[in-house]
Amino acid sequence: MEEGKPISNIDDELRQILAEFMVEVIKLEELVEVGRKFLVRFQQALEFLRRPSIYESSDLVKSIAKANETKRVNAYVQAGCLNAYDSTLSVGQLNTSLSDLHDCVTKSKSIIDELKNLMDKAGNALCMTSDDQLETEIQASEAIGSEKLDGVGCASYMAVIYSMVKQDYVMQEKIVSSLSFKSSSGELESYCLMWSLRPFINDDIIRQALKQVR
């Protein structure tokens, strides 16, 4: 902080940084939802390829196939009663979804880096060197309620929110890195659930921060 600089100016500067910070958080929230859709699409495509053969699971289909032993029917049975076009489409969907997920994670990483830069900018403005020191101020910031936050309060929200979204990003990155055509149904179900639940995110804190910049 520059000697003699009015506190109110520092507070205004930190509120502006918080506003920029929350714009990036909103972008990240939108990417999380986009990524969730890509993950579900990957799951659906892989499960389609794994679905049981109609021929093997149905006595009726077996009898129909036997009664109509044409070249077309025989070829279909040999293929496991799966439409070749649908199978090809699903494989393409798997590859596209995986590529889209990697792209989504890359974009999220860029936003996470920008959030870190903004948080550091806020810390430097307050002449603070410890993230822990910022986080201890969150209770005091919440007590302000609907009033405007001071500089320390703004920095506190940034520190806490950054910690949450960084952990959320790391979880998503690990999920995407572990995906493959060999991923089990149980794994995919758990990944989709965790992506949707976002266990590291406290929505109330994000909403409180957004109220301060509206």
Side-chain angles (χ1 to χ4, degrees), residues 12 25 35 38 43 54 62 66 68 70 72 82 90 102 104 115 125-126 129 140 146 148 168 181 184 194 200 213-214:
D12 290 342
V25 170
F38 290 151
Q43 179 193 30
I54 298 175
K62 288 181 182 180
K66 187 175 182 180
N68 297 272
T70 63
R72 181 180 179 183
L82 289 175
S90 292
H102 280 289
C104 191
L115 291 176
L126 290 170
T129 58
S146 61
K148 280 189 175 181
D168 195 47
F181 288 8
S184 70
M194 296 305 291
F200 302 105
V213 298
R214 286 175 177 169

Side-chain angles (χ1 to χ4, degrees), residues 2-94:
E2 295 179 9
E3 186 175 352
K5 189 173 183 179
I7 294 296
S8 60
N9 288 349
I10 285 293
D11 291 343
D12 290 342
E13 180 182 352
L14 267 292
R15 289 189 197 105
Q16 178 58 40
I17 296 174
L18 176 60
E20 296 173 16
F21 185 92
M22 295 311 297
V23 167
E24 297 302 316
V25 170
I26 291 173
K27 291 179 183 178
L28 193 60
E29 293 287 296
E30 293 171 348
L31 270 178
V32 170
E33 177 59 20
V34 170
R36 185 192 67 80
K37 292 178 180 178
F38 290 151
L39 181 59
V40 170
R41 191 173 67 182
F42 180 91
Q43 179 193 30
Q44 291 173 341
L46 192 55
E47 292 301 333
F48 174 83
L49 291 174
R50 287 174 173 165
R51 68 180 184 175
S53 167
I54 298 175
Y55 179 72
E56 294 177 352
S57 61
S58 171
D59 291 334
L60 175 60
V61 173
K62 288 181 182 180
S63 64
I64 293 174
K66 187 175 182 180
N68 297 272
E69 291 185 351
T70 63
K71 183 177 181 180
R72 181 180 179 183
V73 171
N74 288 336
Y76 190 58
V77 170
Q78 289 173 8
C81 290
L82 289 175
N83 184 287
Y85 172 78
D86 289 339
S87 297
T88 301
L89 195 64
S90 292
V91 171
Q93 184 171 309
L94 279 172

Side-chain angles (χ1 to χ4, degrees), residues 22 38 43 62 99 110 125-126 128 133 136 141 154 157 166 175 193 205 209:
M22 295 311 297
F38 290 151
Q43 179 193 30
K62 288 181 182 180
S99 176
S110 296
L126 290 170
M128 290 185 175
Q133 187 176 359
T136 59
S141 300
C154 292
Y157 269 109
K166 177 65 180 295
I175 287 175
L193 179 61
I205 291 179

